[in-house]
Amino acid sequence: MDYVNQRVAQQAAKDPSDIYNGFVTPLNIILAVITLYTTYLLYKPSPPATLPREPPAIVFRTFTPRTLLPYNGTNGMPVFLAVRGRVFDVSSGGNFYGPGGPYENFAGRDASRGLAFHSFAEDMLTKDLDGPLDKLEGLGPEEFESLGGWEDRFLSKYMVVGKLVAQGDA
């Protein structure tokens, strides 16, 4: 026990300023490191901002049912569909009109009759791609009103990229 009392007395007799001189204390070193790291994070150079690429320009053109068919969202192609002779680029709504979407059978086709009847059935699409366009005969006032609503929606949301004409008129 004498040894312990002797060591305690020696430590008590030491000058406290001999252990840590001035500002060099463990606490001050830790605070300095934190301050330097925070300053580095605030002022470190950031990578240059990159602007998103513009989509390629789409030229207004004339489509036939056969030339419109490849624009169905497969093989990296945009998604186009026609309503009453106007061809719309609906690629921004690809989750609806592209592959796997609920309206995918309208992609690359004239969707007028199907939209007018609110039908996704294949028999609403023109089967003869080289024949005349669907003249929408047999549509009643309700169907024309419905089709007009769809057309207004497409005009407000999507860009018109062309017109649809029959094969013989191209």
Side-chain angles (χ1 to χ4, degrees), residues 5-16:
N5 289 336
Q6 185 181 8
R7 287 293 294 163
V8 168
Q10 282 178 353
Q11 290 297 324
K14 279 188 179 177
D15 186 15

PDB file of all heavy atoms in Angstrom, residues 5-16:
ATOM      1  N   ASN A   5       0.426   4.802  -2.328  1.00  0.00           N
ATOM      2  CA  ASN A   5       0.405   6.141  -1.737  1.00  0.00           C
ATOM      3  C   ASN A   5       1.565   6.982  -2.259  1.00  0.00           C
ATOM      4  O   ASN A   5       1.423   8.190  -2.473  1.00  0.00           O
ATOM      5  CB  ASN A   5       0.464   6.063  -0.212  1.00  0.00           C
ATOM      6  CG  ASN A   5      -0.833   5.533   0.382  1.00  0.00           C
ATOM      7  OD1 ASN A   5      -1.881   5.644  -0.256  1.00  0.00           O
ATOM      8  ND2 ASN A   5      -0.756   4.961   1.577  1.00  0.00           N
ATOM      9  N   GLN A   6       2.693   6.336  -2.430  1.00  0.00           N
ATOM     10  CA  GLN A   6       3.864   7.049  -2.948  1.00  0.00           C
ATOM     11  C   GLN A   6       3.618   7.519  -4.385  1.00  0.00           C
ATOM     12  O   GLN A   6       3.926   8.654  -4.724  1.00  0.00           O
ATOM     13  CB  GLN A   6       5.085   6.122  -2.884  1.00  0.00           C
ATOM     14  CG  GLN A   6       6.364   6.790  -3.281  1.00  0.00           C
ATOM     15  CD  GLN A   6       7.545   5.815  -3.229  1.00  0.00           C
ATOM     16  OE1 GLN A   6       7.385   4.614  -3.045  1.00  0.00           O
ATOM     17  NE2 GLN A   6       8.721   6.354  -3.392  1.00  0.00           N
ATOM     18  N   ARG A   7       3.024   6.685  -5.239  1.00  0.00           N
ATOM     19  CA  ARG A   7       2.748   7.059  -6.653  1.00  0.00           C
ATOM     20  C   ARG A   7       1.709   8.173  -6.714  1.00  0.00           C
ATOM     21  O   ARG A   7       1.834   9.092  -7.500  1.00  0.00           O
ATOM     22  CB  ARG A   7       2.242   5.854  -7.441  1.00  0.00           C
ATOM     23  CG  ARG A   7       3.275   4.825  -7.760  1.00  0.00           C
ATOM     24  CD  ARG A   7       4.320   5.293  -8.724  1.00  0.00           C
ATOM     25  NE  ARG A   7       3.728   5.550 -10.026  1.00  0.00           N
ATOM     26  CZ  ARG A   7       4.300   6.270 -10.982  1.00  0.00           C
ATOM     27  NH1 ARG A   7       5.476   6.803 -10.783  1.00  0.00           N
ATOM     28  NH2 ARG A   7       3.708   6.473 -12.120  1.00  0.00           N
ATOM     29  N   VAL A   8       0.714   8.095  -5.857  1.00  0.00           N
ATOM     30  CA  VAL A   8      -0.312   9.143  -5.842  1.00  0.00           C
ATOM     31  C   VAL A   8       0.318  10.462  -5.422  1.00  0.00           C
ATOM     32  O   VAL A   8       0.035  11.513  -6.016  1.00  0.00           O
ATOM     33  CB  VAL A   8      -1.477   8.742  -4.902  1.00  0.00           C
ATOM     34  CG1 VAL A   8      -2.411   9.914  -4.646  1.00  0.00           C
ATOM     35  CG2 VAL A   8      -2.247   7.568  -5.464  1.00  0.00           C
ATOM     36  N   ALA A   9       1.194  10.438  -4.468  1.00  0.00           N
ATOM     37  CA  ALA A   9       1.858  11.658  -4.016  1.00  0.00           C
ATOM     38  C   ALA A   9       2.745  12.224  -5.115  1.00  0.00           C
ATOM     39  O   ALA A   9       2.822  13.440  -5.305  1.00  0.00           O
ATOM     40  CB  ALA A   9       2.671  11.380  -2.741  1.00  0.00           C
ATOM     41  N   GLN A  10       3.454  11.362  -5.844  1.00  0.00           N
ATOM     42  CA  GLN A  10       4.304  11.830  -6.948  1.00  0.00           C
ATOM     43  C   GLN A  10       3.463  12.513  -8.028  1.00  0.00           C
ATOM     44  O   GLN A  10       3.821  13.555  -8.541  1.00  0.00           O
ATOM     45  CB  GLN A  10       5.076  10.661  -7.567  1.00  0.00           C
ATOM     46  CG  GLN A  10       6.258  10.201  -6.792  1.00  0.00           C
ATOM     47  CD  GLN A  10       6.918   8.997  -7.473  1.00  0.00           C
ATOM     48  OE1 GLN A  10       6.405   8.449  -8.442  1.00  0.00           O
ATOM     49  NE2 GLN A  10       8.063   8.596  -6.924  1.00  0.00           N
ATOM     50  N   GLN A  11       2.354  11.897  -8.381  1.00  0.00           N
ATOM     51  CA  GLN A  11       1.500  12.471  -9.425  1.00  0.00           C
ATOM     52  C   GLN A  11       0.885  13.797  -8.957  1.00  0.00           C
ATOM     53  O   GLN A  11       0.745  14.729  -9.735  1.00  0.00           O
ATOM     54  CB  GLN A  11       0.382  11.483  -9.824  1.00  0.00           C
ATOM     55  CG  GLN A  11       0.875  10.268 -10.571  1.00  0.00           C
ATOM     56  CD  GLN A  11       1.515  10.626 -11.895  1.00  0.00           C
ATOM     57  OE1 GLN A  11       1.091  11.549 -12.583  1.00  0.00           O
ATOM     58  NE2 GLN A  11       2.587   9.928 -12.232  1.00  0.00           N
ATOM     59  N   ALA A  12       0.541  13.871  -7.712  1.00  0.00           N
ATOM     60  CA  ALA A  12      -0.042  15.099  -7.177  1.00  0.00           C
ATOM     61  C   ALA A  12       0.990  16.208  -7.114  1.00  0.00           C
ATOM     62  O   ALA A  12       0.660  17.385  -7.258  1.00  0.00           O
ATOM     63  CB  ALA A  12      -0.644  14.848  -5.802  1.00  0.00           C
ATOM     64  N   ALA A  13       2.226  15.857  -6.943  1.00  0.00           N
ATOM     65  CA  ALA A  13       3.284  16.853  -6.840  1.00  0.00           C
ATOM     66  C   ALA A  13       3.684  17.408  -8.208  1.00  0.00           C
ATOM     67  O   ALA A  13       4.282  18.474  -8.286  1.00  0.00           O
ATOM     68  CB  ALA A  13       4.507  16.255  -6.141  1.00  0.00           C
ATOM     69  N   LYS A  14       3.362  16.708  -9.269  1.00  0.00           N
ATOM     70  CA  LYS A  14       3.725  17.181 -10.613  1.00  0.00           C
ATOM     71  C   LYS A  14       2.950  18.443 -10.955  1.00  0.00           C
ATOM     72  O   LYS A  14       1.806  18.622 -10.560  1.00  0.00           O
ATOM     73  CB  LYS A  14       3.417  16.125 -11.670  1.00  0.00           C
ATOM     74  CG  LYS A  14       4.438  15.059 -11.790  1.00  0.00           C
ATOM     75  CD  LYS A  14       4.099  14.218 -13.000  1.00  0.00           C
ATOM     76  CE  LYS A  14       5.106  13.122 -13.202  1.00  0.00           C
ATOM     77  NZ  LYS A  14       4.737  12.288 -14.322  1.00  0.00           N
ATOM     78  N   ASP A  15       3.564  19.285 -11.752  1.00  0.00           N
ATOM     79  CA  ASP A  15       2.910  20.510 -12.240  1.00  0.00           C
ATOM     80  C   ASP A  15       1.938  20.116 -13.356  1.00  0.00           C
ATOM     81  O   ASP A  15       2.331  19.475 -14.330  1.00  0.00           O
ATOM     82  CB  ASP A  15       3.970  21.475 -12.763  1.00  0.00           C
ATOM     83  CG  ASP A  15       3.387  22.810 -13.140  1.00  0.00           C
ATOM     84  OD1 ASP A  15       2.241  23.094 -12.733  1.00  0.00           O
ATOM     85  OD2 ASP A  15       4.080  23.563 -13.842  1.00  0.00           O
ATOM     86  N   PRO A  16       0.660  20.473 -13.260  1.00  0.00           N
ATOM     87  CA  PRO A  16      -0.315  20.085 -14.289  1.00  0.00           C
ATOM     88  C   PRO A  16       0.039  20.642 -15.665  1.00  0.00           C
ATOM     89  O   PRO A  16      -0.302  20.054 -16.678  1.00  0.00           O
ATOM     90  CB  PRO A  16      -1.625  20.680 -13.796  1.00  0.00           C
ATOM     91  CG  PRO A  16      -1.416  21.069 -12.390  1.00  0.00           C
ATOM     92  CD  PRO A  16       0.054  21.179 -12.170  1.00  0.00           C
TER      93      PRO A  16
END
